[in-house]
Each structure stands twice: as structure tokens, then as C-alpha cells.
Amino acid sequence: MKFPIELWPSILCLLIITLTPNLVTPANESVSPPMDRQAYFSAKQYYNEGAYDRAVSAIQEFLANYPKSHMAPEAYYLLGQAYVQLKKYTEAVDPLKTVAEGFPSVAFAGEARLLLGRVYLQLGMIEEAIPVLEQEA
């Protein structure tokens, strides 16, 4: 069968597309984010919705599964915030200390120290609160 010369570019394109299906991702297919990022944002969504108990569980699972994730410092901070929202001040201390002492150069380390100071005050731990709060004064 003969094809007119004008159809050759279209036929060639059709052959290329047909023979190389893995080179093109259809527009309706999305590329999944890394699993740690997906797990973190799922936990953060619970927090943003005010489902603090679920957020705590999801954050703890995230930290257990992805302890070396670049999002771990933020997860610890969010965990501390969730505990504060639940008025579980004793539980809030460790994750906030982890951020304040273990990741002092992250952008929100100062906020974590301030929250840690407030938590110490809520627990009546004045001696611990003073040096933490003085760092941010």
C-alpha cells in the first residue's frame, strides 16, 4: 500500500509513539512523591484538621519509618505542638527538646525553644524554663 508523501510525518510520529510507550507519561497520571514526604504531609493534614490524636499517631509512625528523613526535625516540632494542643505537656518535652538541641540550625528551632519554655512553665518547671526562654529573649 502506498501512502502520499504528506502523510509520512504523521505515520512516523504514530510509529514512534506506539513503539516507545514508556517514554511518555500521560497527562492524567501523576508522579508519586517520595514516601516520607507523603507520610509527613498526611500527618500534618491531621494536625491542620484539629485531629491531634491522629496526628500524634501518624507523626510517630512517620518518625519510626523515616528517622533519617530531612523532614524529621519538622515532624518532631509538629509532634510537640500536637501534644501541647492535647494538653499533654509532659509528652511534649522530648520532641521539642529534640528540635531545640538536636537541630538548632533549622528555621523553626527558636519557635521550638519558646514552646518548650512555655511547656516547662505549664509543668511548673521554672528552673528549666528560664534558660530556655532566655535564649530567645
Side-chain angles (χ1 to χ4, degrees):
M1 173 178 229
K2 284 187 165 186
F3 295 102
I5 192 94
E6 301 87 29
L7 291 179
W8 279 106
S10 298
I11 293 170
L12 186 59
C13 285
L14 185 59
L15 282 171
I16 291 171
I17 291 171
T18 304
L19 297 175
T20 56
N22 294 330
L23 295 179
V24 180
T25 301
N28 62 349
E29 288 185 26
S30 62
V31 177
S32 298
M35 295 305 291
D36 66 329
R37 184 179 161 120
Q38 190 174 12
Y40 172 77
F41 284 113
S42 176
K44 190 171 184 178
Q45 183 66 33
Y46 289 132
Y47 180 87
N48 290 340
E49 293 171 354
Y52 303 118
D53 283 319
R54 290 180 75 186
V56 165
S57 296
I59 296 164
Q60 289 172 331
E61 184 176 336
F62 167 81
L63 290 168
N65 291 333
Y66 308 103
K68 298 194 183 296
S69 170
H70 71 282
M71 300 173 117
E74 191 172 348
Y76 280 110
Y77 181 50
L78 192 63
L79 181 59
Q81 289 177 308
Y83 279 132
V84 169
Q85 292 295 329
L86 293 167
K87 297 185 180 354
K88 294 183 176 181
Y89 300 112
T90 303
E91 289 89 341
V93 171
D94 284 340
L96 293 173
K97 276 179 71 172
T98 298
V99 176
E101 296 172 3
F103 305 99
S105 61
V106 295
F108 47 87
E111 294 171 32
R113 280 189 293 276
L114 285 174
L115 187 55
L116 178 60
R118 286 183 35 219
V119 165
Y120 281 145
L121 290 175
Q122 285 287 356
L123 293 171
M125 301 170 71
I126 308 301
E127 295 297 317
E128 289 83 355
I130 291 171
V132 171
L133 294 171
E134 283 179 341
Q135 274 186 313
E136 295 306 311

